[in-house]
Amino acid sequence: NAGVTQTPKFQVLKTGQSMTLQCAQDMNHEYMSWYRQDPGMGLRLIHYSVGAGITDQGEVPNGYNVSRSTTEDFPLRLLSAAPSQTSVYFCASRQQYNEQFFGPGTRLTVL
Amino acid sequence: AQSVTQLGSHVSVSEGALVLLRCNYSSSVPPYLFWYVQYPNQGLQLLLKYTSAATLVKGINGFEAEFKKSETSFHLTKPSAHMSDAAEYFCAVTTTGKLIFGQGTTLQVKP
């Protein structure tokens, strides 16, 4: 099993550009989530999904969109990048109430 | 809505001393609680989890945590710190689809 995979690992954007962070898992987990990690802020939940076709907002959803067309994939879209979105992004998956598995992270810089 | 508060963003202990990392949660229904560890430049790893089976939970690397409903706490302890325990520790809570993390506590272990 590859677990949770994320691409790209590093990305530099200019303000106003859009992009999609890819996330996939091969563990047949129903729950998938996106977090951003910033120094002193811990991990903050952006969006999450409890199954294909079902998504909901987390703590900091503004400026991000998600969709969940399959159980395996959960892409995160930045609509118009801003410097405040410079962060490390983690995708994660789990079965309800069980251990959450994290991807390796994407380090995003917005200039 | 659920939330987590970790008291103390930095904790420093001497090697061999007791480690105590504090976590308080807020939830209107019985929660599931987790502790994760993140070593420098690495992803998050599960230390232990509380799922209502037992109030004292033992995890990996000698860590344990006690669920105290009356105090809404889930503090992490280890009797004797090792240099390799230096890392950032996160408490997390879930009751529904969201898994919410605290701000994190950086543990420093001095020789």
Side-chain angles (χ1 to χ4, degrees):
Chain A
N1 285 352
V4 180
T5 58
Q6 289 182 239
T7 56
K9 290 187 177 180
F10 299 94
Q11 183 70 50
V12 179
L13 294 177
K14 295 181 179 179
T15 297
Q17 287 184 315
S18 62
M19 79 160 296
T20 299
L21 306 184
Q22 301 292 343
C23 175
Q25 54 95 5
D26 62 358
M27 296 173 282
N28 202 32
H29 287 166
E30 289 297 317
Y31 289 60
M32 296 188 74
S33 302
W34 275 102
Y35 296 87
R36 58 177 291 173
Q37 184 175 22
D38 303 289
M41 306 290 285
L43 282 84
R44 290 182 290 172
L45 182 64
I46 304 171
H47 287 285
Y48 67 102
S49 168
V50 299
I54 306 170
T55 64
D56 205 349
Q57 296 181 349
E59 301 168 284
V60 288
N62 292 342
Y64 308 94
N65 274 357
V66 292
S67 60
R68 183 100 180 268
S69 57
T70 67
T71 299
E72 295 78 20
D73 300 299
F74 192 45
L76 178 71
R77 298 182 189 83
L78 279 70
L79 308 173
S80 177
S84 61
Q85 294 178 305
T86 294
S87 187
V88 180
Y89 291 84
F90 287 99
C91 180
S93 75
R94 63 189 171 99
Q95 293 289 54
Q96 189 178 17
Y97 306 136
N98 285 339
E99 177 182 0
Q100 180 152 271
F101 294 85
F102 288 84
T106 296
R107 189 172 296 272
L108 175 69
T109 301
V110 182
L111 302 175
Chain B
Q2 68 250 33
S3 66
V4 172
T5 300
Q6 291 183 241
L7 302 175
S9 58
H10 288 85
V11 171
S12 181
V13 301
S14 297
E15 191 173 21
L18 172 71
V19 175
L20 171 60
L21 304 182
R22 300 178 186 273
C23 172
N24 287 88
Y25 69 91
S26 173
S27 174
S28 58
V29 298
Y32 289 75
L33 295 157
F34 303 81
W35 275 100
Y36 283 82
V37 61
Q38 185 179 35
Y39 299 102
N41 299 313
Q42 294 190 26
L44 281 84
Q45 177 183 4
L46 181 69
L47 275 178
L48 48 81
K49 65 179 181 182
Y50 166 76
T51 57
S52 77
T55 57
L56 183 62
V57 181
K58 295 187 183 298
I60 62 172
N61 300 338
F63 284 94
E64 63 181 35
E66 186 173 8
F67 174 72
K68 291 187 176 181
K69 183 179 179 180
S70 62
E71 299 177 6
T72 61
S73 69
F74 190 56
H75 302 332
L76 182 71
T77 60
K78 182 174 181 178
S80 177
H82 192 273
M83 296 296 292
S84 61
D85 294 328
E88 191 162 18
Y89 293 79
F90 295 94
C91 184
V93 63
T94 185
T95 57
T96 59
K98 301 181 184 181
L99 181 62
I100 301 296
F101 285 82
Q103 304 92 319
T105 298
T106 299
L107 177 64
Q108 179 187 22
V109 183
K110 297 178 290 186

